[in-house]
Amino acid sequence: MPRPIHATIHPAAVRANLERARRAAPDARLWAVVKADAYGHGIERVWDAVRAADGIALLDLAEAQRVRQLGWRCPILLLEGVFEPRDLELCSRLSLWHVVHCDAQIDWLSAHKTHAPHRVFLKMNSGMNRLGFAPGRFRAAFARLSALPQVDEISLMTHFSDADGARGIAHQLAAFQGASQDLPGERSICNSAALLRHGLQAGVRLDWVRAGIALYGSAPDHPERTAQEWQLQPAMTLASRLIGVQQLNAGDTVGYGSRFVAPEPMSIGVVACGYADGYPRHAPSGTPVLVDGVRTRLVGRISMDMLTVDLTPVPGAGIGSAVTLWGRGPGGALLPIDEVAQAAGTIGYELMCALAPRVPVSVEGD
């Protein structure tokens, strides 16, 4: 039989999460963000769910072509815009909308020969300090775009740096509104965190919202709020099985570097999963794991192909017992990916995107 590690994608969960995002902004149109191959889930695997959105947002042209090949005829937005002038030719051919965040992109548009003018989203740097025009230069950029025959409708957007935390969005929202208040065009300002935490507050205009991590069942502000508190369902399960069991005496060590020392006699299970599968090597002892649906903990250092778990809470476990690294376990048990990520000092996004190509993936319901 093949090595027992396996990932399962749950499209029904993505669909439910998309509807949860809609309830947070019932009058807005919704971008389903599928960048990074749908956050590691696979665009094609979640397609039946995300096509319920009003638009698809992503980063690169190859993914845009895949979405068009799936039969999508509605808007596609390139979130970072084009990377060189010739990309505009494919934007024309595929009818892509694209972000404009710098003068070079306006220059490329002004030299672009096209029969159909482009729909663009002009991005403001309201405080994130990654991409976009500073508030003081935003209106000049809008004026330049408005004068181009290559440009049709102009929408306005920004991205919040602290929507998931205590600082919130007020300072960036004020900057955005101050520089754009009398400019025409639809607005897109809310990502998952802003949508769930701030979307219905006064002054937040919701023409287009961008649902990313929320679609895949991770809380954008974990650990302050959990996915379950936001009524989000896990869209990915990473599961394996025990392939070995060892009996330890007090003082015995486990794994490379002898990082874990048994405090008393105990059983440990060896799981077919390691960092070459995408499990974080830096996950420490104590990281939660489910064995036969029972919560236990990781012990020792992660190896390339194996990790070890404490079997004290599951004395009946043995070779072949089910192991859930994150997602849905036996008997309705649940291990949120955010908990695993937090224990490993990272975020759920990284674990989703890091799933290794060697891990077999199936789609629930297929």
Side-chain angles (χ1 to χ4, degrees):
M1 64 175 288
R3 186 165 171 263
I5 191 168
H6 185 264
T8 304
I9 306 302
H10 310 289
V14 178
R15 189 175 300 109
N17 295 337
L18 189 150
E19 290 308 313
R20 172 65 182 90
R22 282 202 186 280
R23 292 197 300 274
D27 298 323
R29 284 179 286 175
L30 184 143
W31 294 109
V33 182
V34 300
K35 63 180 181 176
D37 200 17
Y39 288 54
H41 292 68
I43 291 173
E44 288 78 8
R45 298 186 191 114
V46 300
W47 182 246
D48 283 345
V50 299
R51 66 181 180 180
D54 302 291
I56 301 295
L58 38 72
L59 289 189
D60 61 71
L61 291 168
E63 289 185 337
Q65 287 178 302
R66 286 164 60 190
V67 170
R68 286 292 186 227
Q69 289 166 0
L70 287 166
W72 184 251
R73 295 293 175 262
C74 296
I76 297 175
L77 177 63
L78 296 178
L79 288 167
E80 293 180 358
V82 297
F83 300 104
E84 59 181 3
R86 65 179 180 178
D87 291 345
L88 291 168
E89 299 172 10
L90 198 54
C91 287
S92 295
R93 194 182 325 147
L94 297 177
S95 298
L96 305 181
W97 300 2
H98 51 99
V99 168
V100 172
H101 61 76
C102 63
D103 288 312
Q105 290 175 328
I106 301 179
D107 294 339
W108 299 340
L109 268 168
S110 68
H112 178 55
K113 296 179 180 179
T114 181
H115 296 294
H118 290 228
R119 171 76 177 268
V120 300
F121 278 63
L122 180 63
K123 186 166 189 176
M124 181 187 297
N125 172 16
S126 59
M128 183 75 157
N129 288 315
R130 294 192 313 188
L131 301 179
F133 292 91
R137 299 186 58 238
F138 192 72
R139 301 178 73 84
F142 184 91
R144 283 193 68 198
L145 284 172
S146 299
L148 295 181
Q150 294 91 341
V151 174
D152 183 12
E153 188 173 346
I154 304 172
S155 297
L156 313 179
M157 72 181 296
T158 194
H159 191 67
F160 295 127
S161 58
D162 294 275
D164 59 342
R167 192 180 186 195
I169 67 171
H171 62 296
Q172 286 187 257
L173 185 60
F176 180 77
Q177 292 176 329
S180 67
Q181 59 183 346
D182 59 344
L183 295 178
E186 295 180 330
R187 269 66 168 166
S188 178
I189 61 174
C190 283
N191 61 357
S192 291
L195 172 63
L196 293 176
R197 291 170 62 98
H198 309 285
L200 295 181
Q201 74 178 48
V204 178
R205 180 172 165 182
L206 300 173
D207 296 315
W208 285 94
V209 295
R210 307 188 298 272
I213 193 63
L215 293 183
Y216 308 101
S218 177
D221 56 352
H222 187 86
E224 181 179 339
R225 297 283 293 271
T226 67
Q228 288 175 295
E229 287 177 296
W230 284 124
Q231 300 175 306
L232 301 172
Q233 301 178 22
M236 178 193 291
T237 294
L238 181 62
S240 188
R241 294 191 177 275
L242 295 184
I243 60 172
V245 175
Q246 296 290 340
Q247 305 299 323
L248 304 185
N249 295 314
D252 284 348
T253 63
V254 178
Y256 289 117
S258 300
R259 291 290 184 88
F260 179 80
V261 181
E264 58 190 5
M266 61 184 295
S267 297
I268 62 163
V270 182
V271 182
C273 178
Y275 60 77
D277 300 299
Y279 197 88
R281 182 180 180 275
H282 51 280
S285 293
T287 299
V289 181
L290 302 182
V291 176
D292 286 338
V294 177
R295 184 172 287 239
T296 184
R297 59 177 178 145
L298 178 76
V299 294
R301 183 179 285 174
I302 307 298
S303 301
M304 179 181 286
D305 310 304
M306 289 173 280
L307 55 82
T308 46
V309 297
D310 181 4
L311 295 183
T312 304
V314 254
I319 291 177
S321 288
V323 177
T324 306
L325 288 314
W326 60 72
R328 304 179 183 186
L334 184 68
L335 179 56
I337 194 171
D338 295 324
E339 288 190 35
V340 180
Q342 182 185 12
T346 185
I347 53 178
Y349 304 64
E350 184 177 10
L351 300 191
M352 295 174 187
C353 294
L355 187 70
R358 79 174 186 173
V359 177
V361 181
S362 65
V363 178
E364 186 178 47
D366 280 5

